């Protein structure tokens, strides 16, 4: 019995809270909050990505821009995660074997790695490029990857509903 | 639902626009989720432009960015995103016009969208007419704060109603 096909996922679906969400208007309510929060996550990241590409907000230093947006991105991410988990538990067993869901989790992980690489590696040399208007290639790669990965997360996330 | 509104649905139903949209939605592999994602990416730009600007006006976000500078820089992104959402949304609207124009939740979405667009347009136009218009007096700044609060509410409701359209369909079209 594999991890993804474990009957434990069925138990999750049978939690009283899962039934409560799945059988009431709680589900569409959580879903609409999820979409708004996710749009906010991507919208705020998009602004930083476009700055990394040297396309937008070039008047602002990269550190100021990202420092001021990060709390909002994380706040929205927490809301998206909570509402997402709320929806997940109503159909846990089907979601874990849903290819779109699996893609979404994988792309989320890659987007996280890309962000971590930016913050822990690239950020060390911040003094060299913080105010740069045509940005160095390394930043352009990180920014483009972020744009692609987050769009992919959205696409996979939206695709979940077409498979389930 | 007002008659003129539902009659738009009747007009579109069976037209070449419907057949074109249905052809694209059913023939191109993955077209529905791809177009929906384009639509949500547009909403992401709405959040990252006008909603972020509203949060800035309310003193809650990005303190080092200036209101007038943000308005001039972000509004073009918003208008392009809305144009894109009009196109991506049209595929679904044209595909099943009766389901949208008879759906009260779609009616709500439009009723939130129109004032949201007009309010944002008004804010943008005034800001273009005069440099730092909304920051030039404390009275104007307070007006801007009122507008920002209303604007956040309207844009969130547009997105919220948009998501509920599909759920309302089950109520109004149980088949």
């Amino acid at each position: 019995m594999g991890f993804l096909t474990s009957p434990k996922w069925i138990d999750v679906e049978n939690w009283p809270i899962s039934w409560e969400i799945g059988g009431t208007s709680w589900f569409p309510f959580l879903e609409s909050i999820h979409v708004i929060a996710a749009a906010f996550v991507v919208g705020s990241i998009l602004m930083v990505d476009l700055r990394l590409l040297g396309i937008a907000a070039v008047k602002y230093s990269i550190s100021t821009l990202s420092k001021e947006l990060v709390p909002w991105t994380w706040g929205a991410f927490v809301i998206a995660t909570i509402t997402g988990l709320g929806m997940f538990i109503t159909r846990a067993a089907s979601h874990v074997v849903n290819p779109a869901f699996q893609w979404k989790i994988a792309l989320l992980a890659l987007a996280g790695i890309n962000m971590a690489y930016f913050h822990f590696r690239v950020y060390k040399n911040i003094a060299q490029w913080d105010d740069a208007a045509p940005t160095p290639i390394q930043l352009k790669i990180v920014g483009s990857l972020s744009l692609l990965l987050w769009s992919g997360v959205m696409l996979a996330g939206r695709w979940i509903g077409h498979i389930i | 639902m007002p008659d003129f509104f539902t009659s738009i649905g009747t007009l579109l139903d069976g037209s070449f626009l419907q057949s074109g949209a249905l052809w694209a939605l059913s023939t191109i592999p993955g077209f529905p989720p791809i177009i929906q994602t384009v639509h949500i990416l547009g909403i992401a730009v709405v959040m990252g432009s006008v909603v972020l600007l509203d949060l800035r006006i309310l003193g809650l976000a990005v303190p080092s960015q200036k209101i007038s500078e943000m308005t001039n820089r972000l509004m073009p992104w918003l208008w392009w995103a809305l144009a894109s959402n009009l196109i991506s949304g049209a595929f679904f609207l044209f595909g099943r016009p009766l389901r949208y124009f008879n759906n009260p939740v779609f009616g709500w979405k439009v009723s939130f969208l129109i004032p949201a667009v007009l309010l944002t347009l008004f804010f943008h136009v005034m800001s273009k007419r005069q440099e730092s218009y909304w920051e030039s007096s404390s009275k104007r700044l307070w007006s801007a704060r009122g507008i920002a609060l209303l604007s956040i509410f309207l844009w969130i409701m547009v997105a919220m109603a948009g998501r509920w359209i599909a759920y309302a369909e089950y109520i109004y079209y149980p088949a």
Side-chain angles (χ1 to χ4, degrees), chain A residues 62-86:
Chain A
I62 295 171
S63 59
T64 310
L65 198 71
S66 62
K67 193 174 64 200
E68 290 185 351
L69 283 169
V70 151
W72 285 92
T73 310
W74 276 114
F77 188 80
V78 168
I79 294 171
T81 306
I82 294 169
T83 49
L85 280 173

Side-chain angles (χ1 to χ4, degrees), chain A residues 31-32 60 64-65 68 162, chain B residues 36 62 64-65 69 164 167:
Chain A
E31 193 175 34
S32 31
Y60 298 96
T64 310
L65 198 71
E68 290 185 351
H162 288 271
Chain B
Q36 284 165 342
V62 290
S64 54
Q65 300 192 24
E69 187 276 331
W164 278 77
Y167 288 96

Side-chain angles (χ1 to χ4, degrees), chain A residues 2 10 13 27 29 38 44 47 53 59 71 73 76 83 86 92-93 103-104 121 146 149-150 152 156:
Chain A
I10 306 276
E13 291 183 11
F27 191 90
F29 187 69
S44 56
M47 191 179 266
L53 288 168
K59 277 183 193 166
T73 310
T83 49
W103 269 101
K104 177 172 179 175
R121 284 293 182 83
S146 172
L149 290 169
W150 283 106

Side-chain angles (χ1 to χ4, degrees), chain B residues 21-41:
Chain B
L22 286 178
W23 177 86
L25 289 168
S26 55
T27 316
I28 304 168
F31 199 63
I34 291 169
I35 289 297
Q36 284 165 342
T37 304
V38 171
H39 202 72
I40 306 171
L41 279 172

